[in-house]
Amino acid sequence: MLSVSALHCERDERVLFTNLDFAIAPGEVWQVQGQNGSGKTTLLRILCGLNHDYSGDIFWQGEPVQRVSEEFRAGVFYLGHSPAINKALTPLQNLRWFCAVTGFSDDAAIEAALAAQGLRGYEDVPCRNLSAGQQRRVSLARLNLSPASLWILDEPFTALDRHAVAALEKQVAAKARAGGSVLLTTHHQLQLDWELKRIDLDALAGRRELRA
Amino acid sequence: MSRQTLGVWGSLRATFGRELLILWRSPGDIVNPLMFFVIAVSLFPLGGDADPTYLSGIAAGVVWVTALLAVMLSMESLFRSDYEDGSLEQLLLSPQPLYFHLLAKVAGHWLMTGLPLVILSPLLAMMLALPDEAYTPLIIGLLVGTPTLNLIGAIGMALTVGLARSGLLLAVLVLPLSIPVLVFGTGMVQAALAGLPYTGLVALLGALLVLALSLAPLAIGAALRISVN
Amino acid sequence: MWQWLYKLGSPRHFYEMTTSFLPWLKGVTYFLLIVGLVWGLGFAPPDYQMGDNYRIIYIHVPTALGAMWIYVMMAVMAAMHMIWNIKVADMVAKSSALVGAGFCAVALFTGAVWGRPTWGVYWIWDAKLTSFLILFFVYIGVIALRSAFDSETSGSKAASVLTLVGVVNLPIIYYAAVWWNTLHQPPSELSLSSQGANPPEIWIPAFFTGFGLIGLVFVFVIMRTRNEILWRERRAQWVQDLVKQEAGRA
């Protein structure tokens, strides 16, 4: 699905990772591990196409991403630190716009997604009146809506209660079971009933120091 | 199933509508530039001279310059909240054509912030004793010119949205680039006052608008990609 | 040719090529400038209309033309940086911005100094002066934008975008200034660049200072770019070797 070869990135004169190779196949869940500042977020942003300060190649379905950028963008969903939710708008309005820029309109699915996140009855409340956890769940409702085959999730478990964490873990496993792929970072101890592959940025950095 | 595929047009309408809705829900972003416009214009008689002959001479220039500054102040609401809440990333990552979405966004923004300035301008011109024959060229000029100012301002805003304190820098970047619009816009009024035709200048302002419509979204898009990096 | 250009795109090669080239360029530049200035200021005959005042054109006209062409060069570099991601192009653009702003400031200053005896005032809103003032603002904007970013790469890309926006806008600004000027006042009788009718004794020194100042642009830009290269490549082995070598010599 997504593969990278010889990925190299340095920031502020520090090499975050170099010679990074991996390939994400359909049905796989990958976790990027590393300490704070090891470049997890940077790696995720490079992979989804927000950050261009890297060298090396990224392939989508075997083609360089630059060549298939439209298919690539349609196939990837990125969840960043910020929720991509406008506080002046209601959850329904926010998700309608998300669906529109993704390329479809489906109010029934939006309502179902909000209900699945436990937000039934909050569809028309401006997001600024929701709690931080609720806003986070509005943001996560996009997972139910996105048709993308690869999810790139940066710290998706932040600000979630125990129930929501468990639900999200189930959702991640379900995505993989259905043939999708997930790449995520988290400090939380994952309880997935699915095989988890790992990219350890600290170990990569350690290997580099040993070699040098 | 109720899922409908949206074409480019449908999704552009959504971006346009979202921009209107966001501004509608945060009235301060609409009203504050207007208030600035009114207050700044009323400073000129107070700081200069309230004599109508003096005022009518500077009226068109004052209205245009303060409208230009008011447009710059209104730009903050175009990308700031989208940048901070991550919606901008979502837009950049969407498979939709960014160029048209940026146009839709700026168009929505102009409709909510630029058009009110144009509508208010005759009132302020009247307070500055602008002669009767100058109203039509003033309004036409602002109507054609402010969208260009919005587009240029959007480039500046897109370049500086990632910076913590961007207000002054925005002015330094954008005001020099706005000068042609200002020159031709005030030129229209002066031509009318001198009894000359001004249709050629409308065409020039129109040409600037077409140029801005075709090139500015490219610059805005490139700038946004740098800013979210 | 392409091979040569390609090599110039690598910071190390740019540095090494200019190391051998720069002394010659400096020599020719200083020679042209000294000859032009001594001749122009000391020996060229006074103008029948303006007396000795015209002599400032030996600086004013080349710096003004330089200020414009440096912007064009900067825009070409910015485009190369944006399209092919050539780092040296960005470093040249960065160096050019300050040199261009400096030339623009000198052109404005000398224009004002010339204006005092000619027009009776230091500043008039003449089309040329006005458009150079705006060009100066645009240079300042590019420099300010670049320095506002913490990240070197973001700053240089943002500056490139603004430079390219400016290069589309500047001809329009110039045209607007000329048009605006004709609306407000008749074009000035005495234009600084209308030297065509003057005898060769007057304009030949202008060639010397003109080419000398063009040389000076390249000297400044290359020297600043070399500094920039050393700074950005300071962790590279070849720069560290160079530093050791220099330290050994001292």
Side-chain angles (χ1 to χ4, degrees):
Chain A
M1 194 170 274
L2 183 81
S3 61
V4 309
S5 92
L7 200 66
H8 171 96
C9 172
E10 49 183 274
R11 195 182 52 197
D12 306 330
E13 317 222 338
R14 209 156 54 81
V15 176
L16 290 177
F17 40 83
T18 189
N19 269 323
L20 190 59
D21 295 276
F22 60 88
I24 302 173
E28 288 182 345
V29 180
W30 287 70
Q31 181 183 4
V32 182
Q33 291 177 316
Q35 307 163 339
N36 289 333
S38 62
K40 298 189 296 290
T41 295
T42 309
L43 175 62
L44 261 48
R45 291 176 73 89
I46 286 174
L47 292 178
C48 72
L50 282 173
N51 188 327
H52 301 277
D53 296 337
Y54 65 91
S55 58
D57 297 299
I58 305 174
F59 300 93
W60 176 249
Q61 317 285 20
E63 299 277 335
V65 279
Q66 292 83 354
R67 279 240 296 282
V68 290
S69 61
E70 206 167 307
E71 293 89 332
F72 173 65
R73 285 190 200 145
V76 174
F77 171 79
Y78 171 71
L79 179 93
H81 288 272
S82 28
I85 294 299
N86 188 296
K87 292 199 174 131
L89 301 182
T90 67
L92 190 61
Q93 289 162 340
N94 268 305
L95 294 179
R96 268 192 198 137
W97 182 69
F98 167 74
C99 292
V101 296
T102 313
F104 64 94
S105 99
D106 189 349
D107 276 10
I110 293 174
E111 277 168 26
L114 284 172
Q117 292 292 340
L119 290 167
R120 193 189 295 279
Y122 290 97
E123 291 90 348
D124 293 319
V125 180
C127 288
R128 65 163 70 96
N129 298 342
L130 299 178
S131 72
Q134 284 173 321
Q135 287 181 20
R136 189 77 199 166
R137 279 188 273 159
V138 175
S139 183
L140 287 172
R142 295 179 301 160
L143 289 173
N144 304 48
L145 293 166
S146 170
S149 49
L150 172 64
W151 290 351
I152 297 183
L153 314 176
D154 197 357
E155 298 289 347
F157 297 99
T158 313
L160 290 183
D161 61 22
R162 210 150 37 84
H163 277 294
V165 167
L168 183 56
E169 283 171 342
K170 276 212 187 78
Q171 210 176 353
V172 167
K175 178 80 180 170
R177 203 169 292 129
S181 314
V182 182
L183 177 69
L184 53 81
T185 65
T186 181
H187 288 293
H188 155 87
Q189 207 61 44
L190 276 176
Q191 314 258 318
L192 285 184
D193 48 350
W194 196 261
E195 189 197 352
L196 186 64
K197 304 203 166 195
R198 290 197 166 86
I199 299 167
D200 193 335
L201 293 178
D202 292 338
L204 279 169
R207 207 170 67 207
R208 193 170 58 245
E209 270 152 34
L210 284 183
R211 214 187 289 152
Chain B
M1 238 184 114
S2 64
R3 177 166 297 210
Q4 288 176 319
T5 314
L6 275 186
V8 171
W9 185 242
S11 91
L12 288 181
R13 281 211 343 237
T15 295
F16 181 76
R18 175 177 181 269
E19 190 66 24
L20 299 188
L21 204 56
I22 290 175
L23 284 167
W24 187 247
R25 288 287 177 82
S26 23
D29 289 337
I30 302 176
V31 175
N32 289 343
L34 285 177
M35 290 323 292
F36 169 84
F37 188 41
V38 175
I39 293 169
V41 165
S42 63
L43 293 179
F44 283 83
L46 296 172
D49 191 341
D51 175 28
T53 49
Y54 165 77
L55 285 179
S56 65
I58 59 165
V62 166
V63 170
W64 260 99
V65 170
T66 38
L68 166 59
L69 296 175
V71 167
M72 291 312 125
L73 289 177
S74 77
M75 291 326 290
E76 185 79 7
S77 56
L78 178 62
F79 292 129
R80 175 66 64 199
S81 74
D82 285 341
Y83 174 79
E84 280 168 1
D85 71 22
S87 305
L88 203 53
E89 292 172 356
Q90 206 66 64
L91 183 62
L92 292 178
L93 292 179
S94 95
Q96 297 285 328
L98 183 63
Y99 181 99
F100 293 106
H101 275 269
L102 293 173
L103 274 186
K105 217 170 146 46
V106 176
H109 194 264
W110 176 79
L111 203 64
M112 296 302 268
T113 62
L115 191 60
L117 288 174
V118 181
I119 294 171
L120 204 59
S121 63
L123 191 71
L124 295 174
M126 199 178 68
M127 289 165 70
L128 296 178
L130 188 74
D132 289 345
E133 64 270 29
Y135 284 88
T136 318
L138 179 72
I139 295 167
I140 294 177
L142 284 168
L143 211 50
V144 185
T146 45
T148 314
L149 297 180
N150 254 284
L151 285 161
I152 298 174
I155 300 177
M157 195 61 218
L159 283 168
T160 54
V161 68
L163 304 170
R165 295 155 63 89
S166 61
L168 277 173
L169 186 59
L170 177 70
V172 171
L173 302 187
V174 165
L175 293 181
L177 301 176
S178 309
I179 287 169
V181 177
L182 180 71
V183 166
F184 295 132
T186 49
M188 276 175 66
V189 177
Q190 268 150 10
L193 288 177
L196 299 169
Y198 52 78
T199 41
L201 291 170
V202 180
L204 268 174
L205 277 180
L208 288 182
L209 177 57
V210 170
L211 188 71
L213 282 173
S214 48
L215 294 182
L218 299 174
I220 299 169
L224 288 177
R225 287 191 195 285
I226 296 163
S227 287
V228 299
N229 204 347
Chain C
M1 175 71 187
W2 287 114
Q3 193 67 31
W4 185 78
L5 277 180
Y6 179 76
K7 274 192 168 175
L8 215 54
S10 124
R12 183 178 179 176
H13 277 102
F14 184 96
Y15 191 90
E16 283 168 358
M17 275 186 217
T18 50
T19 305
S20 53
F21 173 66
L22 195 58
W24 291 98
L25 184 66
K26 274 185 182 165
V28 174
T29 298
Y30 297 153
F31 171 76
L32 286 171
L33 275 181
I34 289 167
V35 170
L37 287 178
V38 170
W39 190 354
L41 300 185
F43 297 98
D47 184 73
Y48 72 100
Q49 215 178 1
M50 291 188 268
D52 282 332
N53 294 336
Y54 84 92
R55 291 184 198 280
I56 205 156
I57 63 156
Y58 292 122
I59 299 295
H60 176 81
V61 175
T63 47
L65 287 173
M68 281 192 307
W69 285 108
I70 292 170
Y71 197 92
V72 175
M73 174 166 88
M74 194 165 88
V76 172
M77 292 299 150
M80 284 166 67
H81 175 234
M82 286 304 281
I83 299 169
W84 294 299
N85 202 13
I86 301 173
K87 295 278 188 307
V88 172
D90 175 57
M91 298 188 216
V92 172
K94 181 180 180 183
S95 318
S96 311
L98 210 62
V99 177
F103 266 55
C104 215
V106 171
L108 284 170
F109 177 76
T110 52
V113 168
W114 179 82
R116 179 79 176 118
T118 315
W119 294 321
V121 285
Y122 283 110
W123 184 265
I124 62 163
W125 290 93
D126 157 85
K128 287 208 180 70
L129 284 177
T130 309
S131 44
F132 270 96
L133 186 65
I134 300 170
L135 176 64
F136 183 65
F137 293 156
V138 175
Y139 271 122
I140 295 298
V142 172
I143 296 169
L145 182 64
R146 183 189 289 271
S147 60
F149 279 82
D150 291 332
S151 143
E152 180 99 56
T153 40
S154 300
S156 59
K157 282 188 186 144
S160 300
V161 170
L162 184 64
T163 307
L164 292 174
V165 172
V167 87
V168 175
N169 218 293
L170 282 171
I172 303 174
I173 290 173
Y174 180 73
Y175 176 71
V178 170
W179 178 85
W180 168 80
N181 193 237
T182 54
L183 184 78
H184 288 260
Q185 57 198 73
S188 50
E189 292 288 317
L190 299 168
S191 180
L192 276 179
S193 43
S194 64
Q195 294 299 324
N198 281 313
E201 301 91 274
I202 285 184
W203 55 257
I204 289 179
F207 270 111
F208 279 89
T209 55
F211 284 108
L213 282 166
I214 291 173
L216 200 62
V217 170
F218 283 102
V219 170
F220 281 153
V221 169
I222 290 173
M223 281 169 66
R224 290 187 59 81
T225 305
R226 284 161 59 87
N227 278 346
E228 190 71 24
I229 288 174
L230 290 185
W231 176 249
R232 290 201 203 173
E233 301 268 303
R234 61 191 178 279
R235 283 174 311 145
Q237 193 57 46
W238 70 271
V239 174
Q240 299 192 349
D241 289 346
L242 201 72
V243 171
K244 275 190 204 119
Q245 204 182 319
E246 291 285 318
R249 209 181 295 165

